[in-house]
Amino acid sequence: MPEYEKAMRPEDITRLFVERSNAGDAAGVAALYEQDAVMAYPSGGQTVGREAIRALWEKVLANRPHFEPEQPLPTLVSGDIALTSTPPKDGSGARAQVVRRQPDGSWLRLLDQPEFVLPVR
């Protein structure tokens, strides 16, 4: 696996995700996740583990989507665990991730909820 820039702050992961996704680098996106990470995607389902996340992103990135950077909300940190979130630019809900500090001081995603939508009333 190539050597990727590491997220040295929890907020770095969002920037690195956008850069790697726009480059079509599914392996680089997957490198932002812990080995046993859980991603709540596709909608209504879950993708578990870095390898499954890489395979999912290979399919998604094959369509060459373009991601715009989103300004992160304030990060909540408790020891080696942090909650990061961003409001989508289109106002369609929210995104949230639980990240964990690694032994080398970098951060990786543990839980990823890329799409929250408001319930229909």
Side-chain angles (χ1 to χ4, degrees), residues 27-48:
V29 171
L32 297 170
Y33 291 84
E34 288 194 352
Q35 282 293 344
D36 297 322
V38 177
M39 185 171 145
Y41 190 85
S43 186
Q46 290 185 354
T47 302
V48 180

Side-chain angles (χ1 to χ4, degrees), residues 58-115:
E58 272 186 3
K59 292 176 189 170
V60 171
L61 297 177
N63 297 321
R64 301 300 294 173
H66 180 76
F67 293 87
E68 291 292 329
E70 296 170 342
Q71 186 64 37
L73 296 171
T75 299
L76 299 175
V77 179
S78 178
D80 290 336
I81 302 290
L83 175 66
T84 64
S85 56
T86 55
K89 286 187 173 187
D90 64 7
S92 63
R95 308 180 202 293
Q97 301 82 32
V98 175
V99 299
R100 182 167 28 205
R101 190 184 335 256
Q102 305 300 297
D104 67 359
S106 67
W107 294 81
L108 293 174
R109 285 180 173 168
L110 174 62
L111 301 170
D112 185 5
Q113 178 75 51
E115 298 177 339

Side-chain angles (χ1 to χ4, degrees), residues 11-25:
E11 302 83 0
D12 292 341
I13 295 176
T14 298
R15 174 185 55 83
L16 294 170
F17 169 84
V18 170
E19 290 173 4
R20 294 173 190 180
S21 294
N22 288 340
D25 186 358

